[in-house]
Amino acid sequence: MSFSVLAQSDISDAANTATAVLFYLFAIMAGGSAICVAVSRNIVRTAVALLFTLTGVAGLYFLLNAEFLAAVQLVVYAGGTLILIIFGVMLTSKSPFSRFEAKLGEVVIAMSLACVLLFALVMGIVRTTFATDEFPTGNYPIDRLGQVLLGDYLVPFEVVSVLLLAVMIGAAYLAKGRRREGEEGAARSGSLSRQAREWS
Amino acid sequence: MTHLLAAIGLPYIPGWDELRPFAADLWLIVTIVAVLITPFFITRSNIACALVALAGVTLAFLSQLLVRNSPHVIGEHFRGLLVMDQFAMLWKLLLLLFVAGVILMWFTTTASNMHEGDGPEFFALLLSATLGMSLMASTSNLLMLVLSVEMASLPSYVLAGFRKTHRIGAEASLKYVLFGAVTSAVMIYGLSFLYGLYGTLQVGAIGHAMAAGAIGVGGNALLAVALLGLIVGIGFKVSAVPFHFWCPDVFEGASIEVTTFLSVASKGAALVLLIRVLTTIAAGLGFAPHAGMSLAALAGVIGVMGAVTCTVGNLGALVQTNIKRLLAYSSIAHAGYMLCAVSLLVRHKATIVGEDGNSIAAQAILLYLAVYLFMNLGAFTVAALIYRQTGSEDITHYAGLSRRSPLAAACMTVFMFSLIGLPPFAGFVAKFNLMWVLGTNGGWWWALVAVIGLNTIFSLYYYVRVVKIMYLTPSDAPALNVNPLGLGLAVACAAALVLLFIGLAPLSRVTTNYGKLYLTSQTQQQPAQSTAMITGERR
C-alpha cells in the first residue's frame, strides 16, 4: 500500500520536473528568439527566429494540454504563414538580405518606452492573480470545441467566414496583374464573361 | 438518429426572433454574394454590381426600418454575443443611408474610370466593410469586438489602395495597413489582459466583475494597460491624436468615394463602439468610482484626447491646399468634437443615463453623426465633380466657381458653413447640441466647451477660405459641365442640411428616443464563458 503511494508520488514528481524543464525550455526558446526577431537586422534571420518563437509558443500550448491549439499554431503559423513571409521577402525585396537601419534617436526612444512598458507588465503580471478555470486534465475534449464553435460561438464562426471571403477577394484583387490601359483589360473581362455564360 | 444527436449534442440553431433584429446585416451578406455572382450573368458588370449593391443596401435599410422597439428585439442575442438596442438601430440606419449615398456618388465619379471587371471586388469589399461597421455597433463581447473591427478594417485597407496604378494610393494603403496592424495588435494584447483578469469575454460581465472584487495593485496596472490598448485600437479608427497620422495620407491617396466612406462610416462606427464598450463597463460599475477603476480618469483621458484631436485637426487644416487633405484634417477635428462628448458617458448615472435609460452622450453623438454624414457626403461629392472636370483637387482651382457652376458653388458654401457650425444649417444644431450637453454637466466639461468654441474660430478660417476662392477670386476658366446626378446628390445633401435645421425639434426627439443603450443588469444570468465550456468535463 504505502509502496504504491510512494511510487505514485515519485512518478508525479518526475512528471512535474519534466514539465518544468520543458516549460523553461520552450519559454527560453520563444522569448530568446523573439528578442532575435526584434534585434536582428537581416530580414531572413528575423523570419527564421520567428519560426522558433512560434514553435516555442506551440510547445507551451502542448504543456497546457491545449493540443488542438498547439497543432493549429504549428500548422498555420510555423508551417504556413512563415513560409509565406519568407516567400514574400524573396519575391518582393530587391535583395533578399536587405537590412533595416534605424536612427539612433528612434532606437533610444523606442528602447526607453519598451523598457517602461516591460517593467509595468512584469510587475503587473507577477503581482496579479488571474481568473483561472480548472486546469484540463487528460485528453483535450476536442468534440467540445466543435460544439462550442457551432453553439455558443456560432455568430463569430459565421462572421469569420464572411471576413475570410472579403479578405480573399481583396488579396486576389491586389495580386491580380496590373493591366495596361484600355483594350487588353476589356478583352479579358469580355472573354471571361463569355466563358461564364457558356459555362452557365 | 436521436441517439447520435444526443451523443454529439443538439446543434444551436438561432430562431427567427434572434435573426430578425439583424435582418440588415443578413441582407448585407446576401448582397455581398449577389455582387460576386453578378458578372457571371451580365457583361457590363461594374454598373450592374453597383446597382445590385445599391438595391441590397436599400433592402437592408428598409428591413432595418421595419425592426420595431419590441421587447423581443431589444437585448442580447445569439447567447449574448450581439446586442440590439435603439442606439445600434439608429446607427445602422444612418450607416446604410450613408453607404447608399456613397454608391450613388460612385456613379458620378469613378463609374467611367474603373476597369471593367473591378466592380465586383470593389462593392464586395465596400459592403463587407459596411457589415463590419454595422456589427461594431452591436458588440457586447470582446471576440465580436475584435472580429467586427477587423471586418471593418481589412477591406478598407484594400479599398484605400484600390487604384493600383496610382502611386500615392499604394503608399496610402501600405501606411494604413501598417498602422492598422500595429494598433490592432496592441488592442488585442490589451483585451487579452481583460480576459485574463476577469475570465470572461462579455463586456457586461467584465463590468460586474470589476465592481465585485478588487484585483490588487498589479491587476490595476494590467487593467490600465488593457484599457490603453482598447483606446489605441479604437483611437486609430477614430483617427484620434496621436494615432491620426494615417488619416490625411490615406484620404489623399484613396479614390474619393472611398475617402468619403472612411471619413464618416469608419470614424462613426469606432465612436459608436467606444460608447458601447465604455458605457457597458461603466454601467457594470454602477457609474460610480471604484477601487482601481476610476471612471473619472478614463473620462479625463478621453476628454483630453478629444480636445487635443480637434485642435490638431483644425490647426493642420489651416495650411492645406488640397481639398481632400483639408477635409481629412476637418474630419479629424470633427472626430475630436465627438470624442469630447464620449467623455461624458462615464459620468454619474443621474445626468448621463436618464430614468428610462437614455444616454445623453449617445444622443449627442447620434445627432452629430446624422448631420455630419450629409455635410461630408455633400462636400466630397462637389469636390469629386470638380475633380472630374478639372482634374485638380487643389482649392486654388476653385476660383470663379460661382460663375462656372453656380449650383455646385452654392452647395459647397452650404457644406462649408454647416461644417463650421453656422445657422441656418444643421451643422449648427449638431455642434450646439454637443456643446450644450457638455456645458450642462458643468465641472471640467466647461473647458471642453471652451476648446470646441475656440476651435470653431480656427476652423472658420479654412472653411471660409474655400468659399472666398469660389466667390471672390476671379478666373477666366470655362464653365464646368458637371454631372447632373452628382449635382443632384449634392443638392439633396444641402437640402437635407437645411431641412434638418428647420426640423431640429423632430431630429432631437428622434435621437433622444434612439439614444438608448441596452445595459445588462446585475441580476443577469452569467453569460457563456469560453474556456469553461471548452475545457469542461467531457459529458
Side-chain angles (χ1 to χ4, degrees):
Chain A
M1 187 69 192
S2 65
F3 177 75
S4 74
V5 167
L6 199 70
Q8 259 179 5
S9 76
D10 268 359
I11 289 167
S12 73
D13 273 356
N16 281 341
T17 317
T19 312
V21 167
L22 281 174
F23 171 79
Y24 284 112
L25 193 72
F26 285 131
I28 290 168
M29 184 171 158
S33 45
I35 292 173
C36 285
V37 172
V39 170
S40 171
R41 291 184 171 191
N42 181 322
I43 195 162
V44 178
R45 267 185 210 161
T46 305
V48 174
L50 189 62
L51 173 71
F52 286 104
T53 309
L54 296 172
T55 317
V57 173
L60 291 178
Y61 289 151
F62 268 117
L63 290 183
L64 290 169
N65 284 352
E67 287 96 352
F68 180 76
L69 194 57
V72 167
Q73 171 87 6
L74 277 180
V75 171
V76 174
Y77 286 99
T81 312
L82 205 78
I83 303 291
L84 276 181
I85 291 175
I86 291 175
F87 263 92
V89 167
M90 279 162 60
L91 291 176
T92 53
S93 159
K94 282 198 181 99
S95 95
F97 303 103
S98 60
R99 287 162 177 278
F100 302 116
E101 299 294 340
K103 292 194 190 91
L104 184 69
E106 291 168 354
V107 172
V108 170
I109 292 172
M111 284 293 277
S112 46
L113 271 178
C115 286
V116 169
L117 189 63
L118 181 72
F119 179 74
L121 284 177
V122 168
M123 294 311 285
I125 290 169
V126 166
R127 289 170 166 213
T128 310
T129 42
F130 285 97
T132 47
D133 284 309
E134 78 252 51
F135 196 72
T137 49
N139 281 339
Y140 188 70
I142 196 90
D143 51 342
R144 290 291 299 145
L145 183 70
Q147 281 171 20
V148 168
L149 269 185
L150 288 178
D152 288 343
Y153 288 88
L154 181 69
V155 175
F157 186 71
E158 296 299 331
V159 170
V160 160
S161 66
V162 181
L163 176 62
L164 287 179
L165 174 71
V167 170
M168 205 167 65
I169 293 164
Y173 174 75
L174 289 181
K176 208 157 70 169
R178 188 178 292 186
R179 274 178 249 138
R180 297 278 167 277
E181 298 292 316
E183 73 276 77
E184 195 192 332
R188 263 177 58 182
S189 73
S191 73
L192 199 73
S193 53
R194 260 203 309 282
Q195 271 177 3
R197 257 175 300 159
E198 283 163 15
W199 188 59
S200 64
Chain B
M1 187 64 197
T2 50
H3 181 72
L4 184 70
L5 274 182
I8 61 172
L10 283 171
Y12 166 57
I13 300 169
W16 183 241
D17 273 355
E18 290 200 280
L19 289 174
R20 184 71 192 83
F22 295 93
D25 301 309
L26 295 173
W27 272 117
L28 281 177
I29 296 176
V30 170
T31 315
I32 292 170
V33 177
V35 161
L36 286 177
I37 59 174
T38 303
F40 284 102
F41 303 106
I42 297 168
T43 322
R44 281 175 59 79
S45 58
N46 281 3
I47 301 285
C49 284
L51 289 173
V52 169
L54 191 61
V57 170
T58 313
L59 274 174
F61 181 82
L62 291 177
S63 64
Q64 184 64 51
L65 211 55
L66 291 175
V67 174
R68 296 263 162 246
N69 289 354
S70 69
H72 286 302
V73 171
I74 308 298
E76 293 186 339
H77 296 275
F78 302 110
R79 303 197 174 168
L81 284 163
L82 288 176
V83 158
M84 181 51 95
D85 53 17
Q86 287 92 336
F87 179 61
M89 276 183 209
L90 188 58
W91 163 247
K92 281 173 199 229
L93 286 177
L94 293 176
L95 177 71
L96 292 168
L97 182 68
F98 177 70
V99 171
V102 169
I103 297 174
L104 280 178
M105 190 181 158
W106 177 87
F107 279 106
T108 69
T109 55
T110 319
S112 55
N113 296 354
M114 188 177 272
H115 281 295
E116 192 57 49
D118 282 354
E121 284 100 332
F122 180 80
F123 288 104
L125 290 169
L126 186 74
L127 293 173
S128 0
T130 309
L131 176 65
M133 289 161 190
S134 168
L135 287 175
M136 274 163 86
S138 297
T139 51
S140 56
N141 181 287
L142 296 182
L143 179 63
M144 282 308 294
L145 188 157
V146 170
L147 268 182
S148 56
V149 168
E150 291 306 315
M151 184 92 182
S153 300
L154 292 175
S156 305
Y157 302 150
V158 183
L159 284 175
F162 203 82
R163 293 184 293 178
K164 282 200 283 190
T165 48
H166 198 258
R167 216 186 133 270
I168 303 176
E171 187 189 322
S173 179
L174 188 65
K175 221 172 231 175
Y176 199 14
V177 170
L178 292 177
F179 250 98
V182 171
T183 49
S184 284
V186 172
M187 179 174 78
I188 295 171
Y189 187 62
L191 296 184
S192 75
F193 278 122
L194 269 189
Y195 178 68
L197 286 170
Y198 299 109
T200 172
L201 290 171
Q202 291 293 119
V203 178
I206 288 174
H208 292 148
M210 276 177 190
I215 43 174
V217 183
N220 290 339
L222 291 187
L223 184 60
V225 171
L227 290 175
L228 190 73
L230 184 75
I231 289 175
V232 169
I234 298 179
F236 161 75
K237 297 293 291 174
V238 183
S239 73
V241 174
F243 316 110
H244 67 292
F245 295 103
W246 59 275
C247 187
D249 292 332
V250 170
F251 279 24
E252 190 188 0
S255 64
I256 199 156
E257 63 279 342
V258 174
T259 305
T260 316
F261 176 67
L262 293 178
S263 74
V264 177
S266 171
K267 295 187 187 198
L271 283 162
V272 164
L273 177 65
L274 193 63
I275 291 181
R276 155 94 53 217
V277 172
L278 293 185
T279 314
T280 310
I281 290 179
L285 290 169
F287 294 93
H290 223 272
M293 175 64 201
S294 166
L295 288 173
L298 192 60
V301 166
I302 292 174
V304 168
M305 214 165 155
V308 172
T309 302
C310 59
T311 311
V312 168
N314 279 319
L315 292 181
L318 292 179
V319 294
Q320 301 304 324
T321 53
N322 179 309
I323 187 76
K324 274 159 93 181
R325 280 187 87 83
L326 186 138
L327 287 173
Y329 278 104
S330 139
S331 81
I332 294 176
H334 285 271
Y337 299 149
M338 287 187 264
L339 267 181
C340 288
V342 174
S343 73
L344 272 179
L345 56 86
V346 279
R347 200 156 135 73
H348 57 82
K349 198 169 184 171
T351 48
I352 298 315
V353 178
E355 291 307 311
D356 47 355
N358 285 343
S359 162
I360 296 166
Q363 184 264 341
I365 283 175
L366 282 175
L367 198 153
Y368 205 98
L369 282 172
V371 173
Y372 184 56
L373 171 173
F374 290 110
M375 300 195 277
N376 251 25
L377 183 62
F380 275 113
T381 305
V382 174
L385 291 175
I386 296 169
Y387 175 70
R388 273 297 297 282
Q389 291 295 313
T390 63
S392 166
E393 287 166 354
D394 201 313
I395 54 172
T396 51
H397 290 104
Y398 286 24
L401 200 68
S402 57
R403 180 182 51 75
R404 292 155 71 199
S405 177
L407 203 49
C411 287
M412 196 62 156
T413 310
V414 171
F415 303 135
M416 289 298 139
F417 281 143
S418 193
L419 282 165
I420 300 169
L422 291 180
F425 305 112
F428 169 74
V429 180
K431 197 177 259 182
F432 183 76
N433 180 53
L434 198 144
M435 289 166 81
W436 177 263
V437 166
L438 286 168
T440 49
N441 278 285
W444 59 269
W445 277 282
W446 272 111
L448 290 184
V449 175
V451 167
I452 294 176
L454 199 63
N455 269 290
T456 307
I457 297 168
F458 292 154
S459 69
L460 208 59
Y461 171 75
Y462 62 88
Y463 290 130
V464 170
R465 192 179 52 175
V466 176
V467 177
K468 187 195 123 210
I469 289 173
M470 288 192 303
Y471 279 89
L472 297 181
T473 310
S475 154
D476 48 3
L480 295 179
N481 178 24
V482 292
N483 182 313
L485 176 62
L487 200 57
L489 185 63
V491 170
C493 287
L497 288 175
V498 176
L499 281 177
L500 286 176
F501 179 77
I502 297 167
L504 80 142
L507 177 68
S508 142
R509 203 161 50 235
V510 166
T511 47
T512 306
N513 284 342
Y514 278 89
K516 263 182 211 165
L517 288 143
Y518 174 80
L519 303 170
T520 48
S521 59
Q522 198 86 44
T523 52
Q524 202 80 19
Q525 81 282 10
Q526 193 67 12
Q529 296 202 358
S530 65
T531 51
M533 298 300 292
I534 297 171
T535 59
E537 288 289 302
R538 186 195 287 266
R539 283 188 304 173

